[in-house]
Amino acid sequence: MIQLEHIDYDYQGIPALRDITYTFEMGRCYCLEGPNGCGKSTLFRILNGLAFPARGRYVLDSDAITEKRLRDDTFAKAFHAKIGYVFQNAEVQLFCKSVEDEIAFGLFQLGLPEGEIEERVEKYIRQLNLASLRKRTPYNLSGGEKKRVALAAVLAMDPPILMFDEPLSGLDEDGQCWITDFIRALKSTGKLIIISTHNRRLAGQLADVHVRMNKDHRIICP
Ligand SMILES: Nc1ncnc2c1ncn2[C@@H]1O[C@H](COP(=O)(O)OP(=O)(O)O)[C@@H](O)[C@H]1O
Ligand SMILES: [Mg+2]
């Protein structure tokens, strides 16, 4: 469970989040909706420990998540194992020399035994239809293919929480339908899913709970 209490965030004086108080519960699919620039990606960065709020508290499963605590390797490892984050632009999260190495990378970080890593790599190559691309360099793949690789790498780690930042961005119509169906299927797995989108149709198709933000960087109370 994720609890946010009165979070503010600014980029050198530019406001990005204001007084964000919200609780995300396991097993539900939340769509974080709002116009460009309202702060959705910033909130995702905070939830993933990539940015830290100037004010307020972020509590994950009763642990306060702070910059100081994430400097502890054991704590950081346990934290990162809990949350899978698929970036808006998949490119920024792909850096290995082949698709299969990309999927294996996070599993090595988790310290899993080699046999388990091989099994999971095969499973997610199959699930995301990546067999013909497995030896390719992720860097040279199409936008849709990169998205599938990023998803495979994140899902292989089997995190209880999954976040998708603007999952339709950069995809053609077929790719958009595919990812919408894929996320819909993930909803039956009991994970907490948070999707950021400015696309009302996508939110309508997937959300159990709509979380609306406004241009003043606040969550609008329903
Ligand atoms: N790296 C940055 N430096 C300065 N301002 C930023 C940066 N990233 C985002 N912002 C600003 O913070 C606000 C929130 O941005 P963002 O979280 O990306 O919104 P969204 O994802 O909802 O489009 C916007 O006004 C944006 O211009
Ligand atoms: Mg964004």
Side-chain angles (χ1 to χ4, degrees), residues 11 14-16 35-42 217:
Y11 294 95
I14 301 166
N36 279 321
C38 72
K40 303 181 297 294
S41 295
T42 304
H217 316 288

Side-chain angles (χ1 to χ4, degrees), residues 33 76 80 151 182:
E33 302 167 51
H80 290 297
L151 253 174
F182 193 87

